[in-house]
Amino acid sequence: MALALLAGGAHAWSMAPVARGWLQLLSVAALLALACAVPPPRAWLVGGAFGLGWLGGTFWWLFISMYRYGHLPAWLAALAVALLAALLSVYLALAVALFVRWKRDQLGPDLLLWGGLWLLAELARAQLFTGFPWGAAGYAHVDGPLAVLAPWVGVYGIGAVAAGLGLLVQRGLAMPGVLPRLGALAVTGALVLLPTWTGGDFTRARSVLSVTLLQGNVPQDEKFEFSRLPDTLDWHIKALLASRADLVIAPETAIPLLPEQLPPGLWEGLQNHFAQGRTWGLVGVPLGDAEQGYTNSVAGFSAGAAAGAPVYRYDKHHLVPFGEFIPPGFRWFVDMMQMPLGDFARGPLVAPSFAVGSERVGPNICYEDLFGEELAARFVDAATAPTVLANVSNIGWFGESVAVDQHLLISRMRTLELQRPMVRATNTGATVAIDHRGVVTHRLAPHVRGVLEAQVQGREGTTPFAWWAGRFGLWPLWALALGAVAVVARRRTSN
């Protein structure tokens, strides 16, 4: 179990601060070797320990938000993170236990069984009980050969393929003799490179937009401090007004007050500035009222808009548990933390794009870009599908941690799945522009106050992933995984 915990930690390290696909494969191989070395009734303990090391090593930074900003006792904050990681590890523990029990020691059936069980474990973590799929295995392969599978099967499909390759590595290293081992690893390497033959663009280029991305670097403990609000507002408003790009974007809750709470004339002044100019603006701001509910939103100001024209509005759909809504039965836990947490209303799944000249910009807020199947729902109608994606975030809750690098990998995977460029305007980082192939083309250093000028080329067309995930969500992957496991389990029973 100690070795499994360490292997799980290595699995977490394979995804940040940079992607290390080779380490992810070796970690899975180590998990399988350890699980198969213990009596079958104990295999679930190995899987659980690996999951604890993986997930605890992935989102340990939740401790920062609860301890530093929520003022929980250190022991309680650490315990909360550990319990969350342990709870979410149950899926993997069950997958490992079933694999050890049902495996046939035949490569073909075992590949099918292990890939299906791994996929089921990741899908369960992604979707059951609100879902928290941060750190899915596929993110380790953003910069590797398996990345070309993203527009076909998405991050979870990549993870299932990688799980199968991990089994090949484990079986290869277990073979007697040096030459057979080298031969098996060579075959595995060739299979890793095989997907590169499926590469190619499913989308076509459109026009180029110049963009200005703001990074205010407002410390989280000062963001909602009344005495600090004038400086925060002043910097963001001045940067918005100074932009001469086609589009300027300010981060999530860059304006942390409702429009009616702002100094008189400020909101109207913003509308008039953009309406009379040639620049479009997207600004993170809370919207709503007590009767209709409040939303974590993005407001869009259009260049050349007619007087009295409504402001574009995007409301966040996928809310963060505890941060933006309180799960039933957990009010007591939230009340223990001295944090300005909201209980927001949920926006629609399929939101209209924001028209910027001839391009259509699709906003998403914070960790919404973690859910590629939900972004894909906007691509069902090609005539209204986004040609550019824009993420506005504030992960200042997690300090100067690896969360910034992890979130960048997540955004890059979405650009690969959907073959759309994405621009990211964040409070503390990573403020970047990413092209449709997942390459960061412009970058601002994290944890500094600054402005990033960049260019981004819109794209049109639909990837296979966007087509099937937009219509059916992740159900095709569920069916594929369940079918693979059922086939192997049935044949084992019949034999």
Side-chain angles (χ1 to χ4, degrees):
M1 287 182 63
L3 290 174
L5 191 68
L6 290 174
H11 197 262
W13 193 47
S14 73
M15 297 170 218
V18 296
R20 304 178 180 90
W22 60 270
L23 182 58
Q24 192 271 332
L25 297 182
L26 290 177
S27 301
V28 173
L31 165 64
L32 290 168
L34 293 167
C36 294
V38 300
R42 298 183 184 178
W44 71 273
L45 292 171
V46 173
F50 182 93
L52 185 62
W54 168 15
L55 300 180
T58 297
F59 51 68
W60 61 267
W61 33 260
L62 290 173
F63 171 87
I64 298 175
S65 63
M66 290 185 282
Y67 172 65
R68 183 184 300 176
Y69 302 118
H71 305 291
L72 283 182
W75 68 269
L76 183 57
L79 179 62
V81 175
L83 287 176
L84 177 61
L87 179 63
L88 295 178
S89 297
V90 169
Y91 305 120
L92 182 62
L94 179 60
V96 170
L98 292 177
F99 175 73
V100 172
R101 182 175 296 275
W102 290 346
K103 68 183 178 71
R104 300 170 60 183
D105 293 323
Q106 299 175 12
L107 189 58
D110 286 354
L111 281 173
L112 199 62
L113 176 63
W114 176 238
L117 288 170
W118 181 279
L119 182 54
L120 286 175
E122 291 226 277
L123 291 174
R125 182 163 69 92
Q127 293 195 296
L128 300 185
F129 307 111
T130 77
F132 190 57
W134 197 283
Y139 292 115
H141 298 276
V142 165
D143 291 316
L146 297 186
V148 298
L149 296 176
W152 294 90
V153 296
V155 67
Y156 303 115
I158 292 175
V161 172
L165 292 171
L167 176 61
L168 287 177
V169 172
Q170 183 260 329
R171 294 285 170 89
L173 291 175
M175 295 179 69
V178 175
L179 289 179
R181 291 179 186 176
L182 292 177
L185 292 178
V187 171
T188 304
L191 291 175
V192 170
L193 295 174
L194 184 63
T196 58
W197 296 349
T198 67
D201 284 342
F202 296 95
T203 58
R204 302 171 297 279
R206 290 171 57 96
S207 60
V208 175
L209 291 178
S210 59
V211 294
T212 300
L213 307 173
L214 310 186
Q215 182 173 287
N217 196 41
V218 181
Q220 194 59 43
D221 53 357
E222 298 179 6
K223 189 171 181 64
F224 299 97
E225 177 65 38
F226 184 78
S227 62
R228 299 285 185 174
L229 283 178
D231 174 70
T232 299
L233 282 174
D234 184 63
W235 187 86
H236 283 98
I237 297 300
K238 285 182 177 179
L240 286 167
L241 299 180
S243 174
R244 296 295 179 265
D246 297 319
L247 174 64
V248 57
I249 307 178
E252 177 185 13
T253 58
I255 297 179
L257 299 174
L258 296 168
E260 56 267 27
Q261 295 174 321
L262 294 172
L266 193 153
W267 188 254
E268 293 76 12
L270 275 177
Q271 290 180 268
N272 293 333
H273 168 80
F274 287 104
Q276 296 170 8
R278 298 182 179 181
T279 298
W280 283 258
L282 283 172
V283 181
V285 60
L287 296 174
D289 54 45
E291 182 177 346
Q292 300 296 326
Y294 298 100
T295 55
N296 187 356
S297 302
V298 173
F301 302 99
S302 297
V311 172
Y312 169 86
R313 174 173 174 172
Y314 171 80
D315 298 331
K316 188 176 183 181
H317 169 75
H318 203 116
L319 303 177
V320 180
F322 301 103
E324 293 172 322
F325 79 94
I326 302 172
F330 283 91
R331 168 64 68 176
W332 63 272
F333 182 74
V334 172
D335 288 344
M336 291 180 65
M337 294 187 289
Q338 303 171 35
M339 299 167 69
L341 303 178
D343 206 355
F344 288 112
R346 194 181 302 271
L349 173 62
V350 180
S353 300
F354 179 54
V356 179
S358 61
E359 299 304 313
R360 299 183 295 272
V361 178
N364 57 87
I365 299 176
C366 197
Y367 91 145
E368 281 191 307
D369 64 348
L370 186 59
F371 303 92
E373 69 279 7
E374 295 183 358
L375 295 184
R378 306 187 197 182
F379 290 81
V380 173
D381 184 354
T384 61
T387 59
V388 176
L389 296 172
N391 177 269
V392 297
S393 294
N394 171 36
I395 54 176
W397 291 106
F398 313 119
E400 298 185 11
S401 70
V402 75
V404 170
D405 302 301
Q406 292 171 344
H407 200 184
L408 177 56
L409 286 182
I410 290 167
S411 295
R412 292 178 60 202
M413 180 61 75
R414 299 293 85 79
T415 67
L416 290 168
E417 290 174 344
L418 304 169
Q419 288 194 351
R420 288 296 191 275
M422 183 183 294
V423 290
R424 305 185 76 246
T426 70
N427 180 34
T428 57
T431 296
V432 299
I434 312 168
D435 69 13
H436 71 290
R437 288 182 175 271
V439 177
V440 176
T441 59
H442 304 78
R443 183 194 299 262
L444 185 64
H447 310 295
V448 298
R449 175 170 285 188
V451 174
L452 179 65
E453 304 289 347
Q455 292 78 41
V456 60
Q457 185 169 52
R459 307 285 298 188
E460 61 184 352
T462 305
T463 65
F465 172 82
W467 189 92
W468 63 258
R471 288 165 174 79
F472 309 112
L474 296 179
W475 285 111
L477 292 182
W478 279 99
L480 186 65
L482 288 169
V485 172
V487 166
V488 178
R490 181 178 180 183
R491 287 182 177 178
R492 184 181 184 280
T493 302
S494 62
N495 291 337

